[in-house]
Amino acid sequence: DTGVSQNPRHKITKRGQNVTFRCDPISEHNRLYWYRQTLGQGPEFLTYFQNEAQLEKSRLLSDRFSAERPKGSFSTLEIQRTEQGDSAMYLCASSTGGLRAEAFFGQGTRLTVV
Amino acid sequence: GQQLNQSPQSMFIQEGEDVSMNCTSSSIFNTWLWYKQDPGEGPVLLIALYKAGELTSNGRLTAQFGITRKDSFLNISASIPSDVGIYFCAGRHSNYQLIWGAGTKLIIKP
């Protein structure tokens, strides 16, 4: 399977715990995006990487959130001291460069904070 | 964050009926995209539009980029059970960031 892969698919954690999600983009895609989606809403942009450089972060990405893409391949999204409001689907997408290079999405990681 | 106005919020239709949904924005976009999302899955791109007035088809799906660049619509002809899901519009200005609608949930009456 050469699609975008996200792990885990589901995560239940207690409030205050740290969680980390992983995204493996389509190989040779140099752009990688993280989005958050809550029930009944469209995805909201969190952050964007071009290769290993994190080029933009949304204001939605509080200090408790950090994302990395150390070798320009896979990426991790960590949430520290989780809160109930962090419960959402976290989506990763990747694309090649160019204005018409649309992103392919992974299946997402569903986070539930109890 | 900013979102597009997508309507209707949900639709109940009979199998075989045509479906129409639209998105409007207060700002101009250079690109309009339409995605479908099934439960527990990520969005899948259906149609991409890059020029004002552009009309593009993908099988039974047809989408148009509004002349004002502030709106787009998606039509599905002769709906079938597998069309069930949530359809999202997304717009892009000049950079890579997508602005999304809240989705149109398509439900087919048994």
Side-chain angles (χ1 to χ4, degrees):
Chain A
D1 185 9
T2 58
V4 178
S5 176
Q6 290 189 246
N7 287 288
R9 293 290 311 277
H10 304 274
K11 178 71 177 178
I12 299 174
T13 191
K14 290 184 179 179
R15 191 173 48 189
Q17 298 292 305
N18 299 343
V19 294
T20 300
F21 310 140
R22 177 178 169 123
C23 172
D24 287 272
I26 293 172
S27 58
E28 297 172 2
H29 277 192
N30 59 352
R31 295 184 177 183
L32 187 145
Y33 315 81
W34 285 98
Y35 287 83
R36 182 172 68 188
Q37 185 178 26
T38 53
L39 205 60
Q41 299 296 319
E44 292 180 296
F45 171 80
L46 292 179
T47 191
Y48 156 63
F49 289 86
Q50 181 150 322
N51 298 311
E52 66 276 8
Q54 187 175 19
L55 296 187
E56 185 159 347
K57 295 196 300 184
S58 162
R59 282 172 290 179
L60 292 174
L61 214 64
S62 76
D63 291 344
R64 297 183 298 104
F65 287 69
S66 62
E68 295 182 342
R69 194 183 183 197
K71 297 182 181 178
S73 57
F74 74 92
S75 175
T76 57
L77 178 68
E78 181 183 17
I79 309 174
Q80 296 182 325
R81 305 181 303 282
T82 52
E83 302 172 356
Q84 286 189 320
D86 297 331
S87 296
M89 174 80 91
Y90 290 85
L91 293 163
C92 175
S94 70
S95 73
T96 59
L99 284 177
R100 298 192 178 188
E102 305 308 336
F104 290 82
F105 282 81
Q107 294 175 303
T109 294
R110 167 77 64 192
L111 174 67
T112 303
V113 182
V114 298
Chain B
Q2 177 190 1
Q3 285 210 331
L4 303 175
N5 297 313
Q6 185 171 351
S7 65
Q9 191 174 14
S10 61
M11 301 182 72
F12 288 82
I13 61 167
Q14 298 277 7
E15 184 176 348
E17 285 184 351
D18 296 344
V19 172
S20 185
M21 59 192 79
N22 68 84
C23 267
T24 60
S25 169
S26 57
S27 58
I28 288 172
F29 287 112
N30 291 329
T31 299
W32 281 95
L33 305 172
W34 285 93
Y35 288 84
K36 179 175 184 268
Q37 187 174 27
D38 292 327
E41 303 290 331
V44 174
L45 182 65
L46 299 173
I47 293 180
L49 302 159
Y50 299 108
K51 290 171 57 176
E54 180 180 355
L55 186 72
T56 297
S57 293
N58 177 8
R60 293 178 296 105
L61 278 60
T62 301
Q64 184 159 29
F65 192 139
I67 291 292
T68 65
R69 294 166 66 193
K70 293 183 178 181
D71 63 329
S72 177
F73 72 75
L74 174 71
N75 287 341
I76 305 173
S77 62
S79 57
I80 60 177
S82 62
D83 291 334
V84 163
I86 303 178
Y87 292 80
F88 289 97
C89 61
R92 184 167 60 220
H93 298 290
S94 55
N95 62 8
Y96 48 84
Q97 221 183 100
L98 293 177
I99 309 299
W100 294 74
T104 294
K105 188 173 185 178
L106 189 62
I107 303 159
I108 294 188
K109 299 174 192 173

